[in-house]
Amino acid sequence: MLRRGLVSCLSRVGAVLVLVCCSLSLLYVITCSPHTDDSLTGPQLPRTGPAGSPGGHGVLSGAPQGPSGGRENYQALLQEREEQHRQHISSLKKQIAQLKEALQERGEPIKGEKESPEKGGERQAGAAAIEERSHTDLQEFLRSQLSRAEVHSGVRLPSEYSVVPFESFTLQRVYQLEMGLTRHPEEKPVRKDRRDEINEVLESALQTLNTPNLSRDRTASKVYSPADFIEGIARTEKDKGTLYDLSFRGEQPQQFRRLVLYRPFGPLMKVSDERVQTQYTLINIILPLSHRADKFRHFMHNFREVCIKQDGRVHLTVVYFGRDQISEVRGTLENTSRELNFQNFTLIQLNEEFSRGRGLDVGARAWKGGNVLLFFCDVDIIFTSDFLNTCRLNTQPGKKVFYPVLFSQFNPAVIYGSSEHVPPVEQQLVIKKDTGFWRDFGFGMTCQYRSDFINIGGFDVDIKGWGGEDVHLYRKYLHSNLLVIRAPSRGLFHLWHEKHCADELPPDQYKMCMQSKAMNEASHGQLGMLLFRHEIEAHLRKQKQRSAAKKP
């Protein structure tokens, strides 16, 4: 019975298998057999109709007619499409492999951080260390720029032509030596970037001054504002950066706050912040003189108003050469002493040929009262009380000397048309392009401490007559380690006077004297008008005649 059941089961299974095979064979024949009608679901083969019957059904172009030709073309097309699919699949597999590789590379650090939090923290610490190192490198670079610049000490220079001068500025004005198409000796900042620069510097300075500092006196309660700003000087060394030296009124009279900032082609850096007490800083004005008693009376008029009545911390040393007019000079000093109870003056007489360098040297060495601040001056100079404070703030014994650039007047008779229309001297002190110029080639007016003057060797007393001694001393300072502050000063004026160049001068000094004489007369445009005045007058006459001829 078991055998019969097994045989019967196997028979049934075999029949089912035969039926399945037959069904699959029939399905294969139905699916894969080629069709020659127009109802193909595959790609349509191009057809071409016979001539004269457009759109009609015809045979394959260039293919043999009949069922065998259509089957072969269709198989060729299928093979071509199959090859294209293989290539596309291969390209996709390559892209998938590349994406998997990239995903694996990016996933490994994340997996590592998940598996080891300590390693992730180490990586973050490493990134922070790199950022801190970059910041430190930047700070070291900025400090190196500051150390290379002429800020803390002077740089030895070969000559006066190597000096980078300062510009001076207030809240409203900039006083500059370099001229150009639109620039003037005194001007409001025209360019927006220049105004923004000054405003940024002042804002930074005020923020520094008003920030509490535990190391300072905690009782100081002054809040600084732009109204406390007096003046500043600035200069740019093209390969290092820009230095700003700012002066503010302090908490007490005659006290100042001096703030030095530096921009090393980057953010502003504070260099120093100090209180400067000038209450007891005496200035000894050294004045060499020969004849010119009338000019000395005008000088003493300004000296009375500024030095005695306004400032009160000035000593005057007059070194007079010769005997002529010495009584007039002595009388002017005694009258000033008697009328204003002024005793701080010294009169030294030298029976020698006039030499400016010799007179300044004798006057500086004659002082016996300690290390005093010297101001070398001339009789045709007018200055303000603000200049005296500038003189005090821009000098420091053993460190800084001040060589201000004064504003030199043109001939008033030329400026105002004639001598009858010349206003008083006080009204002539205007800094404009047509009234004068910055005397950037002159180095005679200077502020320096007596100790620096003695240590540098003083003047060359062998130079006689006019000019040369000031440049010689200036070059000595340039060759030293002292800072030389060279900047235009809005409170220092050189009054015009006619120059006489003596025939006894050597050719080089005579040439310098004549060049200075020409530059002092008038501006370039005014000299041109004087040179061509005959042509201008002839033109005006012709115009007048034409106008008269047109009248009826």
Side-chain angles (χ1 to χ4, degrees), residues 56 425 479:
V425 173
H479 297 162

Side-chain angles (χ1 to χ4, degrees), residues 40-41 101 147 416:
L40 290 172
T41 57
E101 185 178 355
S147 63
Y416 301 101

Side-chain angles (χ1 to χ4, degrees), residues 397-430:
K399 186 173 182 180
K400 292 192 301 184
V401 295
F402 182 41
Y403 271 84
V405 181
L406 53 83
F407 192 77
S408 188
Q409 275 190 331
F410 289 138
N411 188 343
V414 177
I415 297 173
Y416 301 101
S418 64
S419 56
E420 291 80 9
H421 298 90
V422 176
V425 173
E426 292 76 12
Q427 299 179 18
Q428 299 178 31
L429 306 181
V430 179

Side-chain angles (χ1 to χ4, degrees), residues 85-98:
H85 288 311
R86 287 197 189 99
Q87 294 177 358
H88 184 61
I89 291 171
S90 177
S91 175
L92 290 175
K93 287 181 178 179
K94 289 182 180 180
Q95 294 181 18
I96 291 171
Q98 293 174 357

Side-chain angles (χ1 to χ4, degrees), residues 101-377:
E101 185 178 355
L103 184 61
Q104 186 177 4
E105 290 178 356
R106 295 198 176 190
E108 286 180 356
I110 298 175
K111 182 179 179 181
E113 290 180 3
K114 289 182 178 179
E115 294 177 352
S116 177
E118 295 180 357
K119 292 183 178 180
E122 291 177 358
R123 288 190 180 92
Q124 292 179 357
I130 292 174
E131 183 178 356
E132 183 178 357
R133 192 180 307 114
S134 300
H135 181 72
T136 304
D137 292 342
L138 176 60
Q139 291 294 326
E140 289 180 357
F141 169 74
L142 296 179
R143 283 193 292 268
S144 68
Q145 290 290 89
L146 178 61
S147 63
R148 290 173 56 238
E150 195 174 0
V151 176
H152 296 293
S153 62
V155 177
R156 295 188 178 186
L157 300 174
S159 69
E160 61 272 20
Y161 302 104
S162 304
V163 175
V164 178
F166 285 84
E167 289 183 347
S168 59
F169 59 92
T170 62
L171 286 176
Q172 295 84 17
R173 292 286 188 273
V174 174
Y175 304 89
Q176 56 207 358
L177 297 181
E178 297 182 4
M179 305 298 291
L181 180 63
T182 61
R183 306 190 77 180
H184 298 271
E186 177 198 50
E187 67 173 16
K188 292 183 179 179
V190 177
R191 290 172 55 99
K192 182 178 182 300
D193 58 347
R194 188 74 169 106
R195 296 197 305 270
D196 293 343
E197 175 196 0
I198 294 176
N199 291 336
E200 180 190 2
V201 171
L202 289 177
E203 289 176 4
S204 179
L206 292 173
Q207 182 179 3
T208 300
L209 294 175
N210 292 322
T211 299
N213 193 335
L214 297 179
S215 63
R216 293 190 179 277
D217 185 6
R218 298 185 181 182
T219 61
S221 60
K222 179 179 176 63
V223 177
Y224 288 86
S225 68
D228 296 312
F229 177 64
I230 301 173
E231 69 175 349
I233 58 176
R235 72 173 174 184
T236 299
E237 296 179 80
K238 294 182 179 179
D239 60 337
K240 300 179 184 68
T242 304
L243 173 68
Y244 303 92
D245 194 332
L246 312 176
S247 300
F248 295 83
R249 294 180 182 87
E251 291 86 352
Q252 302 173 3
Q254 311 304 331
Q255 187 186 72
F256 301 89
R257 285 288 291 275
R258 180 172 168 268
L259 189 65
V260 179
L261 302 175
Y262 191 72
R263 189 198 302 276
F265 297 126
L268 281 170
M269 301 173 61
K270 184 179 76 171
V271 177
S272 64
D273 177 11
E274 57 182 341
R275 286 182 171 88
V276 181
Q277 184 62 259
T278 64
Q279 182 178 359
Y280 304 105
T281 304
L282 183 73
I283 299 179
N284 185 9
I285 300 179
I286 312 296
L287 180 68
L289 188 64
S290 177
H291 301 93
R292 307 184 70 182
D294 53 341
K295 293 291 183 180
F296 182 69
R297 283 193 294 271
H298 290 295
F299 174 85
M300 288 303 298
H301 174 74
N302 178 71
F303 184 88
R304 288 184 177 199
E305 296 297 322
V306 173
C307 299
I308 300 177
K309 295 182 180 180
Q310 298 180 31
D311 191 88
R313 292 160 293 159
V314 175
H315 185 94
L316 176 63
T317 299
V318 179
V319 181
Y320 194 85
F321 288 82
R323 299 178 181 275
D324 294 340
Q325 302 184 9
I326 181 65
S327 58
E328 290 89 335
V329 171
R330 183 180 287 108
T332 302
L333 289 172
E334 291 175 352
N335 289 337
T336 302
S337 175
R338 183 173 54 256
E339 294 173 4
L340 299 177
N341 192 24
F342 177 72
Q343 304 296 329
N344 292 337
F345 69 91
T346 302
L347 176 61
I348 302 174
Q349 183 182 2
L350 298 177
N351 295 321
E352 304 174 7
E353 179 185 357
F354 177 78
S355 171
R356 185 176 185 272
R358 165 74 173 157
L360 294 172
D361 197 87
V362 169
R365 296 178 187 275
W367 178 263
K368 304 302 181 183
N371 192 19
V372 69
L373 177 58
L374 305 175
F375 171 42
F376 296 149
C377 190

